[in-house]
Amino acid sequence: MAAGSSLRVAAARRHIAGLAPHRHNPRFSHCVPHVRHHTTISSVNPTEVAHFGALASTWWDPHGPSRLLHLMNPLRHDFIGRCLASPPATRQDGLKYLDVGCGGGIFAESAARLPSTASVTAIDPTPEVLAVARAHARSDPSLSRKLTYLDSSIEDLPAPPAAGTYDVLTLFEVLEHVSAPAPFLASCLPHVRPGGWMVLSTISRSWASWATTKLLAEEVLGIVPRGTHEWAQYVNEDELRAWFARHALGWGSARSVGVVYVPGYGWRSVDGAQGWGNYFFGVRRDP
């Protein structure tokens, strides 16, 4: 093992003594009392914005720091497809997407290219990343008809109509990076039309996720830039289910699946692995 890696492992071992998987996430336990169309609490974390802004120029490098996001993208579409096909099946054509925390546009572009998509509105509060997303989209003129990027947080979007606007609202690798996840989710809900889905991916707070996302990915292997994740900010699947049950009236039909990265093979969906680390979670607004 290289000297630098040995030092990082030693530091991680010293740090692990102060870590333990919490039964409840203190950031997520202070939930909003009811769903609101607007909140004065901003989900934007300036530290996270600066971190991802520094990575903007490498976003579309399939072998760079965002490599794992590129590899995960097909599974995102697979999971959305399963959600839409869940009985009672949601319409499959003319879909309107709102991609919240779109980053450089990996998912937004791929969704806009689908023949079943009517439009994709992609928002992010990081100007450097959005500049990269817009520049990349200009290389394919056909995207201009369907794809719109907005420099905005979810809280700053105009209030939607009571019936919502979008068939699918996506939050891919976002929830673990926001300052206040409960008010953030509450701000997202009104934008989904009845029968539509909120679909997200995030990371559970477990020893396995600490070992893989922090120790191995960031400290030892360096396949994810150091500082990308803060283990204490991860949100467990049962915490999400509990929040929706208590604070999101008119939402049900939740489903989830774990996703595991296998070196040499890529990401694989694994039922029952939601507590290990990465997972997808989808919930439908009642028709």
Side-chain angles (χ1 to χ4, degrees):
M1 182 182 294
S5 295
S6 299
L7 290 173
R8 288 193 293 269
V9 172
R13 287 173 176 166
R14 290 193 298 270
H15 183 59
I16 197 172
L19 294 177
H22 307 301
R23 180 174 296 274
H24 300 293
N25 187 331
R27 300 185 323 124
F28 203 68
S29 60
H30 299 295
C31 296
V32 293
H34 55 83
V35 174
R36 295 174 291 181
H37 284 236
H38 288 291
T39 175
T40 57
I41 301 174
S42 174
S43 61
V44 178
N45 184 326
T47 301
E48 299 283 357
V49 169
H51 175 81
F52 288 106
L55 299 174
S57 63
T58 63
W59 209 277
W60 280 96
D61 180 357
H63 304 291
S66 298
R67 174 174 178 268
L68 296 184
L69 299 182
H70 286 271
L71 294 175
M72 184 184 281
N73 203 47
L75 270 67
R76 295 168 169 173
H77 288 285
D78 291 345
F79 184 73
I80 290 173
R82 291 196 295 272
C83 288
L84 295 176
S86 299
T90 303
R91 66 184 185 190
Q92 304 288 315
D93 295 311
L95 298 175
K96 295 182 178 181
Y97 288 81
L98 176 60
D99 187 21
V100 180
C102 64
I106 295 171
F107 173 77
E109 278 202 17
S110 62
R113 290 192 173 91
L114 296 176
S116 59
T117 297
S119 66
V120 177
T121 300
I123 68 172
D124 200 284
T126 311
E128 298 89 346
V129 172
L130 273 186
V132 169
R134 288 172 171 140
H136 194 271
R138 284 195 292 270
S139 64
D140 183 354
S142 67
L143 291 174
S144 63
R145 297 181 292 106
K146 291 185 176 182
L147 178 58
T148 301
Y149 285 112
L150 299 177
D151 184 352
S152 177
S153 66
I154 187 67
E155 296 88 355
D156 290 333
L157 285 183
T165 302
Y166 299 97
D167 301 287
V168 181
L169 184 150
T170 55
L171 305 166
F172 290 127
E173 310 305 316
V174 173
L175 197 60
E176 66 272 23
H177 298 291
V178 301
S179 297
F184 170 71
L185 288 174
S187 295
C188 292
L189 295 181
H191 293 274
V192 181
R193 71 168 186 82
W197 284 82
M198 178 189 294
V199 178
L200 63 88
S201 58
T202 190
I203 310 173
S204 65
R205 197 174 56 264
S206 65
W207 283 114
S209 68
W210 183 85
T212 54
T213 65
K214 293 297 296 181
L215 179 59
L216 288 176
E218 292 190 21
E219 301 294 339
V220 178
L221 301 178
I223 58 177
V224 174
R226 191 183 300 182
T228 295
H229 297 112
E230 181 60 48
W231 182 76
Q233 295 185 184
Y234 294 174
V235 177
N236 293 336
E237 193 260 9
D238 62 341
E239 292 170 333
L240 276 176
R241 286 185 181 271
W243 185 86
F244 276 95
R246 296 170 185 165
H247 302 283
L249 298 179
W251 288 74
S253 303
R255 61 182 300 158
S256 63
V257 66
V259 282
V260 177
Y261 180 72
V262 181
Y265 293 91
W267 292 98
R268 293 291 183 269
S269 296
V270 180
D271 288 326
Q274 292 89 323
W276 299 358
N278 294 77
Y279 64 94
F280 289 120
F281 184 91
V283 60
R284 189 201 327 245
R285 182 176 178 183
D286 294 341

